Amino acid sequence: MTQTAKGRATSPDAASTGFAQSEYRARVAALQARMAQSGVDVLLLTTAADFYYVAGFLTRFWESPARPWFLCVPASGDPVAVIPAIGAELMGRGWIEDIRTWDAPFPGDDGVSLLAETLREVSATSPAPRIGLPMGLETQLRMPIGDYLRLTAMIAPAQCVDATDVVQRVREIKSEAEIAKIRAACGVADRAFARVGEYACPGARLDEVFRRFQMSLLEEGADWVSYTAGGAGPGGYGDVISPADDRRLAPGDVLMLDTGAVLDGYFCDFDRNYAISHVAKDTAAAQAALMAATDQVLGHLRPGHLACDVHRMFAEQLRAQGAVPGGGRLGHGLGLTLTEWPSFTPHDKTELRAGMVLTLEPGVEIAPGRCLVHEENIVLRESGPELLSSRAPRDLPILSGGAT
Amino acid sequence: MTQTAKGRATSPDAASTGFAQSEYRARVAALQARMAQSGVDVLLLTTAADFYYVAGFLTRFWESPARPWFLCVPASGDPVAVIPAIGAELMGRGWIEDIRTWDAPFPGDDGVSLLAETLREVSATSPAPRIGLPMGLETQLRMPIGDYLRLTAMIAPAQCVDATDVVQRVREIKSEAEIAKIRAACGVADRAFARVGEYACPGARLDEVFRRFQMSLLEEGADWVSYTAGGAGPGGYGDVISPADDRRLAPGDVLMLDTGAVLDGYFCDFDRNYAISHVAKDTAAAQAALMAATDQVLGHLRPGHLACDVHRMFAEQLRAQGAVPGGGRLGHGLGLTLTEWPSFTPHDKTELRAGMVLTLEPGVEIAPGRCLVHEENIVLRESGPELLSSRAPRDLPILSGGAT
């Protein structure tokens, strides 16, 4: 793997844009096989991730909530795109040939009757078609709810059914081309994390640190930076989802930075922790416990484990080290969005399979309101986890403001 | 207004984080007044923009689709937050006191029964409560559709009704504090656009131009960059929503960059066009028509006009110049999201009122597959538009690669 001047990885898989048409066709075939098993006649997709996955349609325009987009995957044959006219040019560059547009946003009928007509057409061989949509945990329907209710009335006797399983069981197994893209995104973050000492030091403003971190991610080759969060506080931080404020880093603080940098539509999602000037004893103990727990899971996780098993492994190992496991999930899926199913909670029974890309994200509560969270990205192989992020140093790096 | 080393505007309104509690309370009061008029007993909000508007809750964590978030605004009294436990710390720093959490994501009941219980409690004085949600054009319900359907069954005899109008008529009128934040975000983009000549020149790769542009936006003070799009092509570009590819800019190209940079949760949204080395005659004519049409609307737009009037003004003026108006909308609202209602189409009858922040976005089709789009951001005052972006130069800036 070689680097460009800007550091972007140029391995053949990662550097190319999108995927070969054969890969999209294989994805559609896999969805159609699941649809047949589930008795779904048409799969209706509405989100950015599903559009990129099936149609190769990648744009940041989803940031505008103004217009819905629809992709209909029939029981057999190619998908049909029912989209705002503004997207026709970009969609036309991809492999989907049947592209139907309306002049969105259109008050009173924002694509609904065109979608209903298309659904009727592509399900015409079935007397009472079942239109599958992802309706379950960790899904969203990206269209006005009023329009969804109107649609269900318009397409009767066709009915909408839950197709969460159809989409999730297919998308969660990544191809080698997808894994290469996620690995490249992780590489971008690895290189940016290695440079945090250039600007994070005692006295540095947290919002400037966040800004410089994002600039580094772009410099190292990210197409864009969809997510940064973090925290800083004496010996730990209060939460992991806050934006930056203008507080200044102080000796004894732990700084955490977390990112979802995007490369060709695929995310990384991991964090790194840094000690400012020195490390408190209880923070060092928490760090050691997190490292030991991560070692344990990296060594023992195998296909066939359930999502809840990972939570159990982390919790047991952290407790064995005398640490208090953090609440919430301790890792999750990753790929076309910052987070994907499954969730490493005590309740998620999803079976882990080879080809899944996952984050390992154990957290420790050092004291009330003070935590330490560590995260790595892996792909699960038959033989166990393969790291996609470069493993974090075992001891917290100390940033003192000297030359690094 | 003074600048820090990094160029961030430090006017009192724009530099502070969030808003005074009095402003959030005024917003809730305005929503509650509209709710009373519409017979809505509880307003149920689920999106990032509505959470920031009402609760002051700002995070990039919405990028994770894993968990739904709920905010219940009762007919009187303070809102109640029903949110994943991971958000309790950050929400607790704000003004909302009643914060109820569950350990999301939770298979089988991801906050739905807690939400149903809360809705029953805050609407207890009404025998058949009406729960209002934004259901209409340009809205989304950010929760699994299966959970929404379960919720409606659980809360009967309460029923869900459309409250799009309640939210949109309140949010579309910006306070001076909001306008200051959008003006500051526009200032960030103004400064970044002024530096495009530092890296965009004949031979520059489009994806590197996009990357450098985002770095400039951060350098100039953006908290993050939620949107960049653009295009480049001989004498114009094919669309305005594409991500960058690795093509190199060539003499005769027009480069367009468009951004939604974010400052304290508020967006700018405007573009700038640049000619590479020289300008074709028909491109120059299109540019002149766009400038004249923008002059016309800046001079004549007043509160009381309808959204469709703006489309008509643009279309008439462009045709009067011999230009072909682009399809789709020619501008829209702006603020907490990259785009807000209304839409300047022939069909949108929304009345424009003082305090609305809007984009003027006329486009011209120079030839099939070749367009030029110009965009400015304004706040509508009683006396007419006040520019928030610095008006683009009348002639396309020419980038030749020499010192700028």
Side-chain angles (χ1 to χ4, degrees), chain B residues 162-190:
Chain B
D162 186 8
T164 305
D165 202 57
V166 168
V167 173
Q168 292 190 346
R169 296 296 82 74
V170 171
R171 267 188 47 198
E172 70 194 11
I173 306 299
K174 267 59 178 178
S175 70
E176 291 305 320
E178 290 183 284
I179 293 166
K181 287 185 196 292
I182 301 169
R183 185 185 286 113
C186 288
V188 166
D190 278 331

mmCIF file of all heavy atoms in Angstrom, chain B residues 162-190:
data_model
loop_
_atom_site.group_PDB
_atom_site.id
_atom_site.type_symbol
_atom_site.label_atom_id
_atom_site.label_comp_id
_atom_site.label_asym_id
_atom_site.label_seq_id
_atom_site.Cartn_x
_atom_site.Cartn_y
_atom_site.Cartn_z
ATOM 1 N N ASP B 162 -51.361 15.627 12.701
ATOM 2 C CA ASP B 162 -50.285 16.358 12.022
ATOM 3 C C ASP B 162 -50.069 17.732 12.658
ATOM 4 O O ASP B 162 -50.982 18.536 12.748
ATOM 5 C CB ASP B 162 -50.641 16.522 10.532
ATOM 6 C CG ASP B 162 -49.499 17.151 9.744
ATOM 7 O OD1 ASP B 162 -48.393 17.318 10.301
ATOM 8 O OD2 ASP B 162 -49.719 17.470 8.560
ATOM 9 N N ALA B 163 -48.845 17.979 13.105
ATOM 10 C CA ALA B 163 -48.515 19.279 13.706
ATOM 11 C C ALA B 163 -47.382 19.967 12.946
ATOM 12 O O ALA B 163 -46.627 20.753 13.510
ATOM 13 C CB ALA B 163 -48.138 19.089 15.164
ATOM 14 N N THR B 164 -47.297 19.674 11.656
ATOM 15 C CA THR B 164 -46.261 20.312 10.830
ATOM 16 C C THR B 164 -46.335 21.823 10.944
ATOM 17 O O THR B 164 -45.318 22.512 11.126
ATOM 18 C CB THR B 164 -46.433 19.908 9.344
ATOM 19 O OG1 THR B 164 -46.428 18.478 9.258
ATOM 20 C CG2 THR B 164 -45.330 20.477 8.485
ATOM 21 N N ASP B 165 -47.557 22.335 10.839
ATOM 22 C CA ASP B 165 -47.776 23.782 10.849
ATOM 23 C C ASP B 165 -47.333 24.405 12.178
ATOM 24 O O ASP B 165 -46.752 25.494 12.190
ATOM 25 C CB ASP B 165 -49.265 24.033 10.602
ATOM 26 C CG ASP B 165 -49.510 25.425 10.083
ATOM 27 O OD1 ASP B 165 -48.930 25.769 9.031
ATOM 28 O OD2 ASP B 165 -50.257 26.177 10.748
ATOM 29 N N VAL B 166 -47.607 23.716 13.279
ATOM 30 C CA VAL B 166 -47.213 24.232 14.601
ATOM 31 C C VAL B 166 -45.703 24.483 14.632
ATOM 32 O O VAL B 166 -45.234 25.562 15.010
ATOM 33 C CB VAL B 166 -47.597 23.226 15.716
ATOM 34 C CG1 VAL B 166 -46.946 23.598 17.041
ATOM 35 C CG2 VAL B 166 -49.120 23.136 15.867
ATOM 36 N N VAL B 167 -44.943 23.494 14.201
ATOM 37 C CA VAL B 167 -43.478 23.594 14.280
ATOM 38 C C VAL B 167 -42.941 24.575 13.234
ATOM 39 O O VAL B 167 -42.115 25.435 13.538
ATOM 40 C CB VAL B 167 -42.835 22.203 14.107
ATOM 41 C CG1 VAL B 167 -41.316 22.317 14.015
ATOM 42 C CG2 VAL B 167 -43.244 21.294 15.261
ATOM 43 N N GLN B 168 -43.444 24.462 12.007
ATOM 44 C CA GLN B 168 -42.840 25.257 10.936
ATOM 45 C C GLN B 168 -43.131 26.747 11.076
ATOM 46 O O GLN B 168 -42.256 27.575 10.816
ATOM 47 C CB GLN B 168 -43.290 24.726 9.561
ATOM 48 C CG GLN B 168 -42.713 23.327 9.277
ATOM 49 C CD GLN B 168 -42.928 22.849 7.860
ATOM 50 O OE1 GLN B 168 -43.722 23.415 7.110
ATOM 51 N NE2 GLN B 168 -42.224 21.785 7.483
ATOM 52 N N ARG B 169 -44.369 27.105 11.500
ATOM 53 C CA ARG B 169 -44.689 28.533 11.602
ATOM 54 C C ARG B 169 -43.906 29.200 12.727
ATOM 55 O O ARG B 169 -43.670 30.394 12.703
ATOM 56 C CB ARG B 169 -46.196 28.735 11.814
ATOM 57 C CG ARG B 169 -47.102 28.289 10.671
ATOM 58 C CD ARG B 169 -46.929 29.053 9.367
ATOM 59 N NE ARG B 169 -45.810 28.589 8.558
ATOM 60 C CZ ARG B 169 -45.766 27.451 7.843
ATOM 61 N NH1 ARG B 169 -46.798 26.643 7.828
ATOM 62 N NH2 ARG B 169 -44.713 27.137 7.140
ATOM 63 N N VAL B 170 -43.530 28.414 13.749
ATOM 64 C CA VAL B 170 -42.721 28.988 14.838
ATOM 65 C C VAL B 170 -41.246 29.027 14.441
ATOM 66 O O VAL B 170 -40.599 30.074 14.503
ATOM 67 C CB VAL B 170 -42.921 28.190 16.146
ATOM 68 C CG1 VAL B 170 -41.926 28.647 17.219
ATOM 69 C CG2 VAL B 170 -44.363 28.354 16.647
ATOM 70 N N ARG B 171 -40.709 27.875 14.024
ATOM 71 C CA ARG B 171 -39.265 27.795 13.773
ATOM 72 C C ARG B 171 -38.819 28.681 12.610
ATOM 73 O O ARG B 171 -37.668 29.121 12.569
ATOM 74 C CB ARG B 171 -38.841 26.334 13.520
ATOM 75 C CG ARG B 171 -38.390 25.612 14.782
ATOM 76 C CD ARG B 171 -37.812 24.246 14.472
ATOM 77 N NE ARG B 171 -36.858 24.282 13.367
ATOM 78 C CZ ARG B 171 -36.465 23.220 12.675
ATOM 79 N NH1 ARG B 171 -36.943 22.023 12.979
ATOM 80 N NH2 ARG B 171 -35.609 23.342 11.695
ATOM 81 N N GLU B 172 -39.722 28.953 11.658
ATOM 82 C CA GLU B 172 -39.286 29.681 10.466
ATOM 83 C C GLU B 172 -39.001 31.158 10.739
ATOM 84 O O GLU B 172 -38.308 31.794 9.950
ATOM 85 C CB GLU B 172 -40.322 29.534 9.331
ATOM 86 C CG GLU B 172 -41.621 30.257 9.577
ATOM 87 C CD GLU B 172 -42.727 29.817 8.611
ATOM 88 O OE1 GLU B 172 -42.538 28.819 7.896
ATOM 89 O OE2 GLU B 172 -43.780 30.468 8.599
ATOM 90 N N ILE B 173 -39.509 31.690 11.844
ATOM 91 C CA ILE B 173 -39.189 33.079 12.212
ATOM 92 C C ILE B 173 -38.002 33.051 13.166
ATOM 93 O O ILE B 173 -38.103 32.597 14.302
ATOM 94 C CB ILE B 173 -40.384 33.781 12.880
ATOM 95 C CG1 ILE B 173 -41.622 33.682 11.983
ATOM 96 C CG2 ILE B 173 -40.027 35.238 13.191
ATOM 97 C CD1 ILE B 173 -41.477 34.328 10.626
ATOM 98 N N LYS B 174 -36.863 33.511 12.700
ATOM 99 C CA LYS B 174 -35.637 33.444 13.498
ATOM 100 C C LYS B 174 -35.522 34.657 14.428
ATOM 101 O O LYS B 174 -35.861 35.786 14.054
ATOM 102 C CB LYS B 174 -34.417 33.399 12.571
ATOM 103 C CG LYS B 174 -33.917 31.994 12.212
ATOM 104 C CD LYS B 174 -34.928 31.137 11.519
ATOM 105 C CE LYS B 174 -34.354 29.769 11.138
ATOM 106 N NZ LYS B 174 -35.378 28.926 10.497
ATOM 107 N N SER B 175 -35.021 34.414 15.626
ATOM 108 C CA SER B 175 -34.718 35.503 16.562
ATOM 109 C C SER B 175 -33.432 36.195 16.116
ATOM 110 O O SER B 175 -32.670 35.660 15.296
ATOM 111 C CB SER B 175 -34.534 34.936 17.966
ATOM 112 O OG SER B 175 -33.329 34.195 18.037
ATOM 113 N N GLU B 176 -33.160 37.362 16.683
ATOM 114 C CA GLU B 176 -31.916 38.046 16.336
ATOM 115 C C GLU B 176 -30.701 37.216 16.739
ATOM 116 O O GLU B 176 -29.667 37.233 16.070
ATOM 117 C CB GLU B 176 -31.868 39.442 16.981
ATOM 118 C CG GLU B 176 -32.869 40.435 16.383
ATOM 119 C CD GLU B 176 -32.754 40.601 14.862
ATOM 120 O OE1 GLU B 176 -31.618 40.638 14.349
ATOM 121 O OE2 GLU B 176 -33.800 40.677 14.174
ATOM 122 N N ALA B 177 -30.829 36.477 17.828
ATOM 123 C CA ALA B 177 -29.703 35.625 18.253
ATOM 124 C C ALA B 177 -29.461 34.509 17.236
ATOM 125 O O ALA B 177 -28.310 34.169 16.932
ATOM 126 C CB ALA B 177 -29.982 35.041 19.634
ATOM 127 N N GLU B 178 -30.540 33.954 16.708
ATOM 128 C CA GLU B 178 -30.378 32.935 15.663
ATOM 129 C C GLU B 178 -29.775 33.539 14.391
ATOM 130 O O GLU B 178 -28.892 32.947 13.770
ATOM 131 C CB GLU B 178 -31.731 32.301 15.322
ATOM 132 C CG GLU B 178 -32.311 31.414 16.407
ATOM 133 C CD GLU B 178 -33.615 30.772 15.953
ATOM 134 O OE1 GLU B 178 -34.653 31.487 15.924
ATOM 135 O OE2 GLU B 178 -33.602 29.575 15.611
ATOM 136 N N ILE B 179 -30.278 34.703 14.019
ATOM 137 C CA ILE B 179 -29.774 35.355 12.805
ATOM 138 C C ILE B 179 -28.280 35.641 12.945
ATOM 139 O O ILE B 179 -27.509 35.459 12.001
ATOM 140 C CB ILE B 179 -30.581 36.654 12.523
ATOM 141 C CG1 ILE B 179 -32.024 36.278 12.166
ATOM 142 C CG2 ILE B 179 -29.934 37.483 11.414
ATOM 143 C CD1 ILE B 179 -33.005 37.452 12.202
ATOM 144 N N ALA B 180 -27.861 36.040 14.147
ATOM 145 C CA ALA B 180 -26.434 36.307 14.372
ATOM 146 C C ALA B 180 -25.606 35.050 14.158
ATOM 147 O O ALA B 180 -24.507 35.096 13.595
ATOM 148 C CB ALA B 180 -26.225 36.842 15.790
ATOM 149 N N LYS B 181 -26.139 33.908 14.591
ATOM 150 C CA LYS B 181 -25.388 32.658 14.403
ATOM 151 C C LYS B 181 -25.299 32.283 12.924
ATOM 152 O O LYS B 181 -24.257 31.834 12.445
ATOM 153 C CB LYS B 181 -26.033 31.527 15.215
ATOM 154 C CG LYS B 181 -25.790 31.662 16.728
ATOM 155 C CD LYS B 181 -26.329 30.474 17.488
ATOM 156 C CE LYS B 181 -26.468 30.746 18.972
ATOM 157 N NZ LYS B 181 -25.188 30.906 19.689
ATOM 158 N N ILE B 182 -26.403 32.456 12.188
ATOM 159 C CA ILE B 182 -26.377 32.122 10.757
ATOM 160 C C ILE B 182 -25.458 33.096 10.017
ATOM 161 O O ILE B 182 -24.700 32.692 9.133
ATOM 162 C CB ILE B 182 -27.806 32.134 10.167
ATOM 163 C CG1 ILE B 182 -28.694 31.123 10.916
ATOM 164 C CG2 ILE B 182 -27.769 31.814 8.674
ATOM 165 C CD1 ILE B 182 -30.182 31.228 10.600
ATOM 166 N N ARG B 183 -25.500 34.372 10.404
ATOM 167 C CA ARG B 183 -24.597 35.356 9.786
ATOM 168 C C ARG B 183 -23.139 34.958 10.029
ATOM 169 O O ARG B 183 -22.300 35.053 9.137
ATOM 170 C CB ARG B 183 -24.884 36.746 10.344
ATOM 171 C CG ARG B 183 -24.054 37.849 9.665
ATOM 172 C CD ARG B 183 -24.249 39.216 10.305
ATOM 173 N NE ARG B 183 -25.535 39.803 9.984
ATOM 174 C CZ ARG B 183 -26.526 40.035 10.844
ATOM 175 N NH1 ARG B 183 -26.384 39.689 12.124
ATOM 176 N NH2 ARG B 183 -27.660 40.583 10.458
ATOM 177 N N ALA B 184 -22.854 34.507 11.248
ATOM 178 C CA ALA B 184 -21.475 34.097 11.557
ATOM 179 C C ALA B 184 -21.087 32.865 10.736
ATOM 180 O O ALA B 184 -19.949 32.763 10.255
ATOM 181 C CB ALA B 184 -21.339 33.816 13.048
ATOM 182 N N ALA B 185 -22.011 31.920 10.558
ATOM 183 C CA ALA B 185 -21.723 30.742 9.725
ATOM 184 C C ALA B 185 -21.472 31.173 8.279
ATOM 185 O O ALA B 185 -20.570 30.659 7.610
ATOM 186 C CB ALA B 185 -22.874 29.735 9.794
ATOM 187 N N CYS B 186 -22.267 32.140 7.800
ATOM 188 C CA CYS B 186 -22.046 32.673 6.448
ATOM 189 C C CYS B 186 -20.669 33.336 6.358
ATOM 190 O O CYS B 186 -19.981 33.216 5.325
ATOM 191 C CB CYS B 186 -23.131 33.690 6.086
ATOM 192 S SG CYS B 186 -24.752 32.958 5.776
ATOM 193 N N GLY B 187 -20.266 34.005 7.418
ATOM 194 C CA GLY B 187 -18.952 34.652 7.433
ATOM 195 C C GLY B 187 -17.825 33.639 7.289
ATOM 196 O O GLY B 187 -16.830 33.887 6.588
ATOM 197 N N VAL B 188 -17.975 32.516 7.959
ATOM 198 C CA VAL B 188 -16.991 31.430 7.824
ATOM 199 C C VAL B 188 -16.863 31.030 6.353
ATOM 200 O O VAL B 188 -15.756 30.927 5.806
ATOM 201 C CB VAL B 188 -17.412 30.210 8.674
ATOM 202 C CG1 VAL B 188 -16.605 28.976 8.290
ATOM 203 C CG2 VAL B 188 -17.265 30.520 10.168
ATOM 204 N N ALA B 189 -17.997 30.808 5.714
ATOM 205 C CA ALA B 189 -17.971 30.375 4.312
ATOM 206 C C ALA B 189 -17.442 31.491 3.404
ATOM 207 O O ALA B 189 -16.663 31.225 2.481
ATOM 208 C CB ALA B 189 -19.363 29.933 3.870
ATOM 209 N N ASP B 190 -17.846 32.745 3.669
ATOM 210 C CA ASP B 190 -17.305 33.874 2.890
ATOM 211 C C ASP B 190 -15.780 33.843 2.879
ATOM 212 O O ASP B 190 -15.149 33.978 1.822
ATOM 213 C CB ASP B 190 -17.742 35.210 3.518
ATOM 214 C CG ASP B 190 -19.138 35.639 3.108
ATOM 215 O OD1 ASP B 190 -19.579 35.279 2.001
ATOM 216 O OD2 ASP B 190 -19.788 36.355 3.906
#
